[in-house]
Structure formats: C-alpha cells, structure tokens
C-alpha cells in the first residue's frame, strides 16, 4: 500500500458569484521513501496542492471533493486537534522563504525545542540534545553555538538548513518542500538539494518537491507530476519525462529551456501564458496554447492514458496510441 | 534575488474604484454609512432650502417662543424639534449647524492635506537633511496637543482683538488652527508612502527616461499614495468636527449667533436637567451619528483599499 | 581597434548602511561616524562593444545591479570613469544627461513594479516619447505608439489598459516597448527574466533577440541564470563580491572556465543534458562586503586559496585564449586536486 494516496482532490475558492476551482480532481500516490516532484508554472495550482495536503489552505479556499489518505487514514475529515498529530509530526513542510517558518524573536534552538515538546513529552535537556543532533545532521557547522542564535544572524542558505532540521525533528514520514531553493543562489541551491536528497535517503523519508524548475527536478526526484491550470497533465519517472515528454505542454516547457536551442538561435516558445484561475478554458485547459489542438480538445477534458511508463492526459497521445494499437492488430492479423 | 510567483500589488486604479464599489454593494453596513454620510452632505449643501426658517432673517429669533418642546409634546406644528433658549427653531439651527461643522471640518482637513502633502512629498522624495528637519518639526508640532494649541491660540486671539472681531473671524480662525495643528499626521503618512514608492522600479524607469523630478513626484508617486490619504482624510474630517465641537463647547469656537453643532450642544447643556433636554440632545445625536458613519467609512476604506485585502 | 560603446574604468561604489541625519559638527556631532559601508563595487573595469550582448553573471550581492544603476546614472560612482563613445557620463547633471538617456535605456527585473500602476500603457509610452520628441504632434505620437506595441507583439487595444491587466510576460513586453520608445542604442536589462515563468521567459528572450537583430541594439544583460547566458551572450563577465573575476567570450567561458568561482558556478547549474555532473561544493556563502577586501574577494570560499590570495588583490590578466581572469591561482598554475 502506498504511503500517501490522493484521490480526486478538488480545491475551490469561495467567491460571491460562483466558486473558482483551483484544483480539478487531482489523483496520485506516493510510496514510502519516494521522492516526487510536482512541476508547473505559477498559477498551475502546485502550491495549492501542497497546502491542501496538510489542510493549510487559506481562508476562501476549501477542499470541495476527494480524499487524502496517509497510510490508510483519511486526512480530509480530521479536526484541528487530530491534525496536530499529523502536521509537523508525520508530514513536515518546508517553504520557499525560511522567514515564514522562523519566528524572528526566538532563537532557533527555542523554536526547535518548542516544536519537539509540543508533540512529545520530553525533557528540555533531551529535546535540546535532539535539536543539536538534527542541526548537525543538516551539516550546520558548530551546531551547539548555532542553537542559541537568532534567525537574522544566519545567512539564507543556513536558515533553509535550519528549516530542514526542524522538519526532521519528529522523524516525519513525508516532507513537503514548496520551492525550497528558489530564493537561494545557485551555488547554495545545489548544496541544499544535495542535502535534501541525502536526508531522504538516510531517513527513508518521502519527499514531495514543489518547483517550477526542471533542473531542480532532475537532480532530486524519482517521479514527476506535471501540472497545468489545476490539473495533472502528465506523470511518470523523472528521467522518462525529461527525455521523452508526451504531453504537448511538457514538451513545450522543456523545449523552451535555453539549453534546448543552439546558442543565439530563437528559443522554442509556447505562445500565450497560463490562464488565471477565473478564466480556465473548458475542455483540455491547454488547448488555446496547444499546437495540436483539435475540436474535441475544446469540448471535453481528456482522461489519462498509459503511454509507456508515464500517464498522460491528452487526446493527441491517446489517438496516437490507438493508431499504434491498430497497426499492431493489423500486424497480428497478417 | 527574489522570484515573484504571484502578481503583487494587483487591483489598482480602475479596478480599485470598481472594487470599492462592488465591495460596497456587498457590505450593508458600509452602504448604510455611505448613504447617511451622503445625506449629511446633501443637508449641509441645501440647508438654506431645507430649513423651515431663514436663520439670517431678523424675526428668526423670538424670545417669546423660547424653549418650546418638540412637536410631539406640544402639538405646535411650527417647530418640529422645538426651539432653543433664544426662540430659534431647533431644526433650522441644526441644519445650519451641520453645514457649519462640516465646512469647518472639510476646510481644516484640506489645509492639513495641502500642508502635510507638500511637506510629506518633499520630505520623502528629497530625503536627507530636509527630511530630518521637517520630521523633527512635525514631531515638535505633534507634541503639543491639538486642543491645547487651539485653546491657547483662540483664547489669545479673543482677548487681543475683542469679541466683536472674533465673532466675525471665528470660522476662519477655527479652520486655520485645526488645519495647521494637525498637518504632521498627513505629512508622516505621505512621507512613509513616498519612501515606499520611490524605491520602486517604475520610479527608476521614469528617471532613466529623463522625467523631471517634479513630474515624477506629482505624476508618478503622488497618485500611488492616494489610498492611505483617502482613509485618513475621512477619519481626520471626523476628528476635526469633534475638535471644533469641543472648542465650541468650551466657548472658544463658533459664537452663539452662528452656532455650529458644538455650540448648540453647549448652549443647551445648561438646560439639560431643567426640562429643556431637546436643545442639547438633538444636536448631540446629529453629531454622534455623523462622526459614527465617518469612522465607519474610514475603517471600511482602510480594509478595502489595502492592496493585500483587495488583491486576488 | 574600434572604440567601445561604453567603457567602465576602475569604478567604485559604496553605500552607507545608515543614512540618518546627524547633528552638524558645530553642535557637537562626532567626527567618527558609526555608519558602516557596504562596498558594492570595487575597481571594476569593463567595456561594451557595439552590437554585442554582454552578460554580467553573479550571485546576490555581487554588485551587478549596482553596476547597471551606475551606468544608467541612477547612482553616481565614488571613483572611476564611465564613458559613452569616449564621452564621460558619470558626473553629468540631469540636463546634460538627457542626450544619453536617448541612447541608453533600461529594462527592470520586476515587471510588477516597473510600470506605474496608475498609468495606462498609452500614458506610459507617451511620457517617454513626448520627452524626447517635443516637436511631434499627437497624431505622430499615436502612430508611433501603435507601431511600438505591434513590434513587441501586443495588440492595439492594449493601449488603454492598466499594467495590472497584463500577465508578467506582457508587462515585460511593455517595459521593453518603453525602453525602445526613445530608439536607444544600448539597453541595460537587469534580470528581466527572473520573475517570469519558463515558457514566458522564452518568449521575452526571443523578442529581445529579434529586436537586437532588427535594430542593431547592444545589450548589457544582467542575470544569475547561466542557461540564459549560454544561449544569449556574446561575451560574459562573471562578478563576485563587487569585482569582475572573469571576462570571456561565451564559447571560451563555457568550454574552459578558468576562475575557480566560475568553475563552481558552472558546475552548480542543474542541467538536463548531463544528469551525472556533480556540483563543486564551495564552503560558506557570499558574505556582505562590509570591509574593503585586501586580498582576492573570493579567497574565503576558494579551495585553491593560499597566503597570496589573502594579501594581494588579483588583477584581470589576459590569458592565451583571449579571456581575462583575475586569479592568482590561474596565474600560478595551481589547479583542482
């Protein structure tokens, strides 16, 4: 059984004149110790998905349908008190800006000890020991001294390490990291990614990495979900998606990267941009930008089809597969 | 290097107006406050037409009619809300008083806005020593309480020039005193806004194009500080009206011949417990309701002009 | 050799971290100020050739944005010379600068902040055009605005809309249109893609390349994204902590990076075409330059540093393949491992 399974999860935003749908029936699963990346551009709903998983949607947003199960336990029905035992303990979160999570007026040690003691009954001394151990685990030099420092005394990369250490405190089963390296410089980014990967390997923690950067994905994730306008459009093993993208959007996204064109040549751009929440088009949401769009793409949302090791929601791929299947049959007949 | 993932500072200008209006429609309390306020403004503008009696005519004041109770107690159809100690029709006087109070409040705040706006813009945009100097001046000004300054200035003026001159110039003096005493409030807010705006890239872009300093200040920065100005504008007008009423109540405001709401309350106050409660109570209620709706509006504007609240 | 379009010579710039007004000395103000300085740019020399795309790469706080601001006259250098076609432009007043404003323009990083939210696209463009073509009548201006919008791929009905009605990519197009409205020779672009999505980045980058071909523009392109640099640059300057540590033509830099920092930087971009490449780990992070460094600014994190690096500032030296590198280790032939 998979560790986390999400089924038909829909998130809506309450508005006076009709609710807006931010996530349309998202389903996926995550195994123990698996590293999964959720990729998409801004507005794809990837962060909303992350927040919805741990029930941290801000006010007008709410889960309209679907289920989220953590090792068989339904999470969408939990009350605030029951969430306490899950969020931070079994599922930890890492955000883009470390200062969101860190309280600037408390020393990082106090914050870590508080995090431990709010979940388990443990003496201050032991909590401190555990915290220092975790700080050392994320390769912070001189953890005993760092323990008493305040967030503003640390550099950006160091803060993100502290955040990772805090996430690790209660030995979670899943870490959800929302753009953990976007605010950092490239050289630091590389280190933090390495660290995250190592930590997942060491502790058997599953990772959900939310990012817009395929470069980051390629470094760390085993499996990738590509999201567009609130839907998953393609999922599969990372290498497969990067080397052989099936969905026109994934193809476009990867082809638009500068390294995919010869220096000085025009880049392969996708026309237009992601529609805002209020203007999600009917049918396949990508059809206005898709070079292969047909009539049926405009009318009905495509279902998922298996294409090799990935699953793709696209009529073009579906038709192609059907055609291949027909050839195969003809071959058999002959 | 920040990477912005969400549009920031959305909802501006046209949508701001549209947004405010549509939000207003949804919020019953705000709509109510706006209606009442509009009614007050209308009354203030049309007081000469609405009032049953002309306050400036000679026979308006008739001591024979002094201290008549309201219509529903006496059945006297001539004076709907009764009359005051000098026999004036209370309704007419309240209508005119509202007009006076609102005029003084608005004019005083316009002076505040003009002074504070100029000083705030200069201080924020030029910065450095000028800023430090102007802001210290503002600090000093604010450390004298408005009422204290007003009382001293008005009392000195009254004794220096005598009551006759004072009666003529009372309104002007009130406007000036209230206006000048509170400019630092606007100056500070506008300066803070300018500080925030002037480091934005669109100002740099204008500079790179060679747009002149004055134009940058007036055309680029000023329009972007409108929202907070609007909010304090409402609240400051309410404050100025209250201050004027308080001064009048203390006998330093409008003279009894031209009573503002404060002066009316004051003149009726002595009779409050001797039976003629209406002289004081009606103007008080008028004043309280006005201040209440203005504060409601101010609070509401603050909530809805805030880009974070208004953004999507 | 022809004269470069822009020459930046030994420019320095520092900022006071506290800029409060203190009492003038006659009131007993102290001579020694408590304010500390951040040395943003230390002795930087660069040349921009006509028609090229010079990319300046570096991490946060390396002074690359400050360099752009100095060039555009948004800040004045503490020392050094900036020349435009042989004319000094670093000490001009507003009036004298007007001539050069027409020749060089800037595109900013954050498309959500670089357009005045209270002005329509028409007003934004008109302001720029009218300023530099005072004799044009309304009709000419209107025609030119329509032409500009079309040339950056926006439709005519964009004119009367406000910036917030556009997406990030479209706003960056408007920014570019504004920069192009004075028909400049040089465009300084400060991280113009950083705030955009991948698919939109490609659109804007394509547009910038098209315009360069069409109008013969010169770009000074400031970025931290090496993938973009590799695609777009003619020459690359790598900056670290207020100094230029390597300048080279693109091919040379990406094929044979010499400065240890450049090497580390190149190895840490996640690449899709080479998934096995392991990044070179640098110890520590970019410090804030609160003191004028005495040695090489990279020495604190450099694995090749020796005593000399801490004591002597390395100068840019011409290498055999035409690149310029400021590094003692390269000069002495010290290398990795």
């Amino acid at each position: 059984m998979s560790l986390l399974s999400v089924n038909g999860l829909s998130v809506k935003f309450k508005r006076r004149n009709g609710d807006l749908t931010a996530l349309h029936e998202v389903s996926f699963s995550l195994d123990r110790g698996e590293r999964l990346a959720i990729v998409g551009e801004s507005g794809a709903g990837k962060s909303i998905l992350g927040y919805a998983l741990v029930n941290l949607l801000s006010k007008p947003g709410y889960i309209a349908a679907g289920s989220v199960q953590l090792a068989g336990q339904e999470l969408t029905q939990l009350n605030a008190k029951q969430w306490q035992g899950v969020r931070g303990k079994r599922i930890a979160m890492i955000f883009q800006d470390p200062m969101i999570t860190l309280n600037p007026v408390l020393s990082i040690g106090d914050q870590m000890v508080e995090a431990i003691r709010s979940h388990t009954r443990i003496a201050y001394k032991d909590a401190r020991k555990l915290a220092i151990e975790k700080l050392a685990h994320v390769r912070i030099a001189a953890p005993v001294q760092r323990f008493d420092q305040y967030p503003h005394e640390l550099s950006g990369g160091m803060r993100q390490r502290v955040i990772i250490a805090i996430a690790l405190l209660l030995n979670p089963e899943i870490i959800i990291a929302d753009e953990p390296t976007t605010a950092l410089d490239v050289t630091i980014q590389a280190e933090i990614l390495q660290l995250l990967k190592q930590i997942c390997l060491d502790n058997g923690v599953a990772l959900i990495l939310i990012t817009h950067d395929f470069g980051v994905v390629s470094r760390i994730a085993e499996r990738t979900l590509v999201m567009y306008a609130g839907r998953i459009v393609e999922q599969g093993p990372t290498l497969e998606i990067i080397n052989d993208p099936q969905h026109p959007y994934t193809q476009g996204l990867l082809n638009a990267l500068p390294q995919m064109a010869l220096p000085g040549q025009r880049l392969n751009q996708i026309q237009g941009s992601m529609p805002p929440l209020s203007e999600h088009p009917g049918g396949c949401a990508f059809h206005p930008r898709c070079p292969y769009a047909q009539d049926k793409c405009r009318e009905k949302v495509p279902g998922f089809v298996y294409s090799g090791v990935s699953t793709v929601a696209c009529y073009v791929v579906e038709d192609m597969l059907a055609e291949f299947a027909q050839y195969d049959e003809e071959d058999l007949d002959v | 290097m920040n990477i912005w993932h969400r549009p920031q500072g959305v909802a501006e200008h046209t949508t701001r107006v549209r947004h405010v209006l549509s939000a207003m429609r949804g919020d019953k309390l705000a709509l109510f406050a706006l209606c009442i306020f509009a009614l007050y403004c209308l009354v203030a503008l049309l007081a000469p037409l609405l009032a049953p009696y002309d306050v400036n005519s000679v026979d308006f004041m008739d001591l024979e009619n002094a201290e008549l109770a309201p219509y529903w107690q006496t059945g006297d159809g001539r004076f709907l809300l009764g009359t005051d100690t000098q026999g004036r029709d209370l309704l007419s006087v309240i209508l005119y008083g509202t007009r006076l109070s609102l005029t003084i409040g608005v004019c005083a705040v316009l002076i505040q806005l003009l002074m504070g706006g100029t000083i705030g813009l200069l201080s924020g945009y030029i910065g450095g020593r000028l800023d430090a100097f102007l802001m210290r001046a503002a600090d000093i000004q604010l450390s004298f309480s408005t009422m204290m300054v007003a009382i001293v200035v008005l009392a000195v003026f009254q004794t220096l020039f005598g009551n006759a001159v004072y009666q003529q110039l009372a309104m002007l003096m009130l406007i000036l005193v209230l206006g000048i005493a509170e400019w630092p409030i606007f100056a500070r807010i506008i300066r803070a806004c300018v500080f925030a705006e002037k480091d934005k890239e669109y100002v740099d872009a204008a500079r790179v194009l060679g747009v002149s300093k004055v134009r940058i200040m007036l055309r680029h920065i000023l329009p972007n500080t409108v929202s907070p100005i609007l909010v304090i504008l409402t609240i400051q007008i309410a404050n100025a009206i209250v201050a004027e009423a308080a001064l009048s109540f203390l006998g330093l405001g409008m003279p009894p011949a031209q009573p503002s709401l404060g002066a009316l309350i004051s003149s009726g106050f002595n009779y409050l417990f001797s039976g003629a409660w209406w002289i004081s109570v009606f103007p008080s209620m008028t004043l309280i309701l006005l201040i209440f709706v203005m504060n409601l509006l101010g609070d509401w504007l603050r909530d809805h002009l805030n880009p974070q609240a208004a953004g999507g | 050799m022809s004269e470069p379009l822009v020459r930046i010579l030994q420019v320095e710039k520092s900022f006071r971290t506290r800029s409060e007004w203190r009492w003038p000395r006659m009131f007993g103000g102290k001579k020694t100020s408590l304010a500390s300085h951040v040395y943003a740019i230390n002795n930087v020399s660069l040349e921009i050739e006509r028609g090229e795309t010079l990319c300046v790469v570096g991490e946060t706080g390396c002074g690359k944005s400050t360099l752009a601001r100095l060039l555009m006259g948004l800040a004045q250098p503490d020392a050094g010379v900036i020349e435009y076609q042989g004319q000094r432009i670093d000490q001009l007043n507003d009036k004298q600068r007007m001539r050069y404003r027409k020749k060089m323009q800037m595109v900013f990083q954050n498309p959500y902040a670089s357009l005045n939210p209270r002005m329509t696209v028409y007003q934004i463009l008109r302001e720029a055009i009218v300023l530099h073509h005072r004799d044009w009548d309304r009709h000419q201006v209107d025609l030119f605005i329509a032409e500009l919008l079309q040339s950056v791929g926006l439709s005519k009905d964009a004119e009367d809309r406000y910036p917030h009605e556009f997406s990030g990519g479209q706003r960056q197009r408007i920014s570019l249109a504004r920069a192009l409205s004075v028909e400049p020779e040089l465009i300084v672009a400060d991280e113009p893609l950083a705030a955009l999505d991948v698919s939109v980045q490609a659109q804007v980058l394509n547009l910038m390349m098209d315009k360069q071909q069409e109008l013969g523009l010169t770009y000074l392109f400031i970025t931290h994204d090496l993938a973009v640099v590799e695609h777009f640059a003619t020459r690359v300057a790598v900056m670290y902590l207020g100094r230029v540590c390597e300048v080279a033509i693109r091919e040379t830099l990406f094929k044979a990076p010499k400065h240890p920092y450049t090497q580390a930087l190149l190895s840490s971009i996640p690449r899709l075409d080479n998934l096995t490449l392991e990044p070179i780990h640098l110890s520590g992070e970019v410090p804030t330059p609160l003191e004028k460094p005495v040695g090489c600014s990279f020495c604190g994190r450099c694995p090749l540093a020796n005593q000399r690096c801490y004591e002597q500032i390395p100068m840019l030296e011409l290498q055999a393949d035409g690149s310029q590198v400021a590094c003692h280790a390269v000069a002495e032939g010290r290398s990795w491992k």
Side-chain angles (χ1 to χ4, degrees):
Chain A
M1 192 179 70
S2 52
L3 175 61
L4 184 80
S5 69
V6 179
N7 258 313
L9 184 68
S10 291
V11 168
K12 291 187 176 181
F13 281 87
K14 260 204 171 54
R15 271 206 332 180
R16 214 176 301 123
N17 34 358
D19 293 1
L20 291 177
T21 313
L23 280 187
H24 302 264
E25 292 168 24
V26 169
S27 306
F28 67 93
S29 65
L30 178 75
D31 287 332
R32 243 168 239 287
E34 191 182 11
R35 297 186 304 278
L36 173 76
I38 300 176
V39 193
E41 295 178 284
S42 50
K46 54 190 194 301
S47 289
I48 292 172
L49 176 57
Y51 284 107
L53 292 181
V54 289
N55 199 25
L56 278 179
L57 286 170
S58 51
K59 197 55 193 146
Y62 66 99
I63 293 174
S67 78
V68 179
Q69 288 186 334
L70 177 65
Q73 184 190 10
E74 179 61 48
L75 294 185
T76 49
Q77 307 299 332
L78 297 187
N79 61 25
K81 194 155 180 235
Q82 290 167 314
W83 262 114
Q84 284 264 305
V86 176
R87 199 188 300 135
K89 191 167 182 190
R90 300 181 68 188
I91 305 179
M93 287 208 73
I94 298 171
F95 296 99
Q96 175 181 344
D97 182 0
M99 287 315 267
I100 292 178
T101 328
L102 291 176
N103 183 342
V105 297
L106 290 179
S107 74
I108 59 170
D110 286 346
Q111 296 184 45
M112 294 180 81
V113 167
E114 194 191 299
I116 303 172
R117 299 225 289 179
S118 63
H119 287 284
T120 44
R121 288 163 167 269
I122 183 173
Y124 179 88
K125 225 173 72 188
D126 297 333
R128 182 187 149 96
K129 216 177 117 204
L130 183 66
I132 290 174
E133 194 179 292
K134 293 297 179 192
L135 284 177
H137 193 158
V138 296
R139 294 186 217 135
I140 284 178
V144 183
Q145 281 81 1
R146 297 286 180 199
F147 186 85
D148 292 318
Q149 285 188 323
Y150 289 86
H152 67 89
E153 294 174 272
L154 305 175
S155 62
M158 207 57 95
R159 280 183 209 149
Q160 203 59 288
R161 279 168 197 265
V162 171
I163 294 291
I164 296 175
I166 292 178
L168 283 175
L169 281 176
L170 296 155
N171 299 317
E173 292 156 74
I174 302 175
I175 295 179
I176 299 178
D178 188 357
E179 305 265 10
T181 57
T182 310
L184 304 174
D185 281 321
V186 264
T187 50
I188 319 274
Q189 171 179 330
E191 282 177 49
I192 297 284
L193 287 178
Q194 188 93 24
L195 176 71
L196 257 180
K197 186 175 173 180
Q198 198 55 50
I199 273 169
C200 291
L201 288 173
D202 291 352
N203 304 334
V205 186
L207 176 74
I208 297 180
L209 179 79
I210 297 167
T211 180
H212 67 282
D213 188 344
F214 266 111
V216 169
V217 173
S218 70
R219 281 238 166 127
I220 191 165
E222 298 163 304
R223 209 152 58 85
T224 301
L225 307 180
V226 182
M227 289 190 71
Y228 184 82
R231 281 202 168 83
I232 293 176
V233 292
E234 182 166 1
Q235 58 172 308
T238 304
L239 278 178
E240 195 63 26
I241 288 198
I242 287 175
N243 293 328
D244 184 20
Q246 305 278 319
H247 196 281
Y249 173 65
T250 322
Q251 289 173 355
L253 208 55
L254 282 161
N255 277 331
L257 293 174
Q259 53 258 53
M260 290 297 169
L262 287 172
Q265 298 296 305
R266 284 180 63 90
L267 297 172
N268 315 305
Q269 61 187 47
I270 318 177
Q271 293 302 333
S273 56
M274 173 112 47
L277 217 52
S278 50
E279 290 164 27
H280 280 181
C284 171
F286 188 59
H287 82 252
R289 300 173 72 189
C290 181
Y292 314 111
Q294 312 159 5
D295 284 341
K296 62 178 167 185
C297 298
R298 294 182 188 94
E299 284 149 16
K300 226 178 124 233
V301 181
F304 282 98
V305 287
Y306 289 94
S307 163
V309 279
S310 331
T311 42
V312 188
C314 177
Y315 284 123
V316 181
V317 179
E318 198 179 320
D319 292 349
M320 217 151 60
L321 288 174
E323 215 169 294
F324 288 155
Q326 206 178 349
Y327 282 138
D328 287 350
E329 262 169 43
E330 280 166 22
D331 285 351
L332 284 179
D333 289 346
V334 173
Chain B
M1 241 139 286
N2 257 325
I3 301 211
W4 310 81
H5 276 279
R6 249 166 246 117
Q8 307 224 338
V10 203
E12 293 287 347
H13 208 86
T14 41
T15 44
R16 192 179 50 157
V17 176
R18 237 179 280 151
H19 175 89
V20 165
L21 285 180
S22 75
M24 188 73 99
R25 228 172 286 138
D27 190 336
K28 295 270 159 37
L29 192 64
L31 197 63
F32 163 79
L34 187 72
C35 287
I36 303 274
F37 182 64
L39 192 73
Y40 267 99
C41 292
L42 216 65
V43 163
L45 277 175
L46 303 177
L49 295 176
L50 292 174
Y53 296 89
D54 182 5
V55 288
N56 296 319
S57 75
V58 195
D59 52 344
F60 177 57
M61 218 184 282
D62 189 353
L63 283 176
E64 274 179 29
N65 299 328
E67 292 182 49
L68 285 178
Y71 166 70
W72 56 90
Q73 286 192 359
T74 58
D76 188 344
R78 289 179 301 158
F79 308 110
L80 207 57
L81 297 179
T83 58
D84 69 357
T85 50
Q86 283 150 331
R88 293 183 292 192
D89 172 39
L90 207 54
L91 179 61
S92 308
V93 182
I94 287 176
L95 288 179
Y96 276 89
T98 311
R99 179 184 164 98
L100 264 178
S101 286
L102 262 174
T103 317
I104 292 173
V106 169
C107 289
V109 171
L110 283 183
I111 291 182
Q112 292 175 12
L113 179 64
L114 204 70
M115 279 186 70
T118 320
I119 291 172
L121 261 182
L122 286 174
S123 191
Y125 190 68
I126 296 172
R129 301 210 158 176
L130 181 76
D131 173 46
F133 173 75
L134 288 173
M135 284 304 113
R136 290 307 86 79
D139 289 343
I140 293 168
Q141 170 87 68
L142 275 185
S143 59
F144 296 103
S145 94
T146 311
M147 288 311 278
M148 198 172 84
V149 173
I151 289 170
V152 170
V153 171
L154 291 173
V156 167
F157 185 83
Q158 220 164 351
T159 39
L160 271 184
F161 296 95
N163 231 358
V165 182
Y166 180 76
Q167 297 224 342
Q168 280 178 344
L169 293 178
M171 189 165 159
L172 189 68
M173 282 305 291
L174 274 171
I175 291 174
L176 280 179
V177 166
L178 291 177
I180 292 170
E182 295 211 336
W183 65 264
I185 294 181
F186 278 90
R188 278 184 169 180
I189 304 256
I190 292 175
R191 170 179 171 269
C193 286
V194 172
F195 259 138
E197 292 294 324
K198 83 168 175 183
D199 285 337
K200 289 205 178 149
E201 287 175 345
Y202 71 85
V203 176
D204 282 340
R207 285 177 65 196
V208 164
L209 281 169
V211 180
S212 70
K213 282 201 176 75
V214 179
R215 198 178 146 84
I216 289 181
M217 266 201 270
L218 297 180
R219 187 75 186 81
H220 289 264
I221 296 181
L222 192 61
N224 284 296
T225 60
V226 164
S227 304
I229 291 179
L230 221 58
V231 174
I232 36 172
L233 201 71
T234 354
I235 305 226
Q236 276 299 99
I237 292 179
N239 285 347
I241 292 174
V242 170
E244 183 276 330
L247 286 171
S248 297
F249 189 82
L250 294 174
L252 288 164
M254 296 303 291
Q258 275 180 292
S260 65
L261 289 175
L264 275 174
I265 298 168
S266 165
S267 72
F269 192 67
N270 297 329
Y271 302 87
L272 193 57
F273 299 107
S274 60
W277 52 269
W278 58 88
I279 306 176
S280 212
V281 167
F282 289 128
S284 302
M285 275 162 44
T286 318
L287 182 68
I288 289 167
L289 185 63
L290 174 63
I291 303 303
F292 177 64
V293 295
M294 291 203 68
N295 278 316
L296 266 185
L297 275 181
D299 272 355
W300 187 86
L301 274 177
R302 189 197 330 261
D303 292 347
H304 285 264
L305 288 179
N306 181 349
Q308 261 137 37
Chain C
M1 203 179 111
S2 69
E3 190 176 55
L5 189 66
V6 175
R7 177 181 280 141
I8 297 167
L9 256 182
Q10 303 183 332
V11 163
E12 307 209 345
K13 177 77 186 172
S14 63
F15 295 100
R16 279 241 303 269
T17 45
R18 273 162 42 117
S19 58
E20 263 173 45
W21 183 64
R22 279 181 305 279
W23 291 103
R25 213 161 287 162
M26 58 179 168
F27 295 134
K30 281 181 195 153
K31 267 185 196 171
T32 50
S33 78
L34 288 169
S36 56
H37 291 255
V38 172
Y39 293 90
I41 301 250
N42 291 313
N43 203 357
V44 164
S45 300
L46 266 182
E47 286 177 359
I48 307 174
E49 306 288 343
R50 189 179 283 277
E52 76 169 349
T53 303
L54 176 65
C55 283
V56 178
V57 202
E59 293 175 283
T60 317
C62 72
K64 53 193 197 299
S65 292
T66 310
L67 191 68
R69 294 177 64 84
L70 289 177
L71 184 57
M72 295 311 297
L74 288 170
Q76 291 218 326
D78 298 338
V81 177
I82 301 175
E83 285 177 1
Y84 191 88
Q85 290 180 316
Q87 305 286 317
R88 268 190 84 154
I89 57 166
D90 51 313
Q91 303 291 341
L92 301 181
N93 62 26
D94 282 356
K95 214 167 173 188
Q96 295 164 319
R97 204 164 234 290
M98 216 53 187
R99 263 186 64 208
Y100 298 99
R101 301 228 186 262
K102 207 171 145 24
K103 297 190 175 168
M104 44 213 269
Q105 272 304 316
M106 190 160 175
V107 176
F108 293 87
Q109 171 179 4
N110 183 352
Y112 299 101
S114 65
L115 300 170
N116 188 340
R118 297 286 148 82
M119 285 166 92
T120 63
V121 173
Y122 179 84
Q123 287 170 322
I124 288 171
L125 294 178
R126 203 186 89 98
E127 181 170 52
I129 294 167
V130 169
L131 212 60
H132 293 273
H133 301 276
R134 293 197 182 277
D135 48 333
W136 282 15
D137 62 25
R138 205 194 148 84
H139 183 64
Q140 272 173 302
V141 173
D142 284 358
L143 269 181
F144 190 55
I145 288 177
E147 204 178 297
L148 267 177
L149 284 177
Q150 200 197 355
S151 80
V152 295
L154 289 171
S155 61
K156 176 110 177 39
D157 58 342
E159 266 184 18
D160 294 320
R161 292 200 277 160
Y162 286 88
H164 67 85
E165 296 174 62
F166 296 94
S167 67
Q170 286 171 318
R171 287 189 217 200
Q172 215 52 306
R173 285 169 192 266
I174 300 168
S175 271
L176 192 61
R178 173 176 59 191
L180 291 173
S181 67
V182 300
E183 298 166 311
E185 296 169 336
L186 170 71
I187 288 188
V188 175
D190 185 2
E191 301 259 10
L193 308 178
L196 304 177
D197 275 324
V198 182
S199 67
V200 181
Q201 277 187 7
Q203 294 170 9
V204 174
L205 207 54
N206 277 345
L207 179 67
M208 288 187 72
M209 288 195 290
D210 291 348
K211 290 292 132 195
Q212 183 169 36
Q213 261 180 3
E214 234 175 273
L215 309 167
L217 293 171
T218 308
Y219 285 125
L220 176 67
F221 196 91
I222 290 166
T223 181
H224 68 280
D225 187 347
L226 283 158
V228 172
V229 174
E230 188 174 8
H231 186 74
F232 189 51
T234 330
R235 269 188 328 135
V236 187
V238 182
M239 283 186 76
Y240 185 80
L241 220 58
R243 292 237 177 81
V244 176
C245 45
E246 184 161 358
V247 185
I249 335 181
R250 184 197 54 219
E251 288 88 350
T252 324
L253 188 98
F254 281 88
K255 217 174 275 163
K258 297 196 180 50
H259 198 284
Y261 177 64
T262 318
Q263 292 174 346
L265 204 60
L266 286 183
S267 78
S268 43
I269 19 170
R271 298 187 66 96
L272 298 180
D273 41 3
N274 186 354
L275 296 175
T276 52
L277 189 75
E278 277 299 308
I280 299 170
H281 278 289
L282 293 176
S283 54
E285 294 185 25
V286 188
T288 316
L290 289 175
E291 272 162 39
K292 222 169 177 173
V294 275
C296 172
S297 47
F298 187 55
C299 59
R301 295 173 73 191
C302 182
L304 302 180
N306 68 4
Q307 198 56 35
R308 187 180 167 203
C309 299
Y310 284 92
E311 285 162 2
Q312 192 186 353
I313 300 174
M315 290 294 153
L316 278 177
E317 280 169 32
L318 198 64
Q319 304 294 309
D321 55 5
S323 59
Q324 290 171 288
V325 183
C327 178
H328 295 313
V330 171
E332 291 170 10
R334 274 179 269 149
S335 68
W336 301 89
K337 282 150 208 162

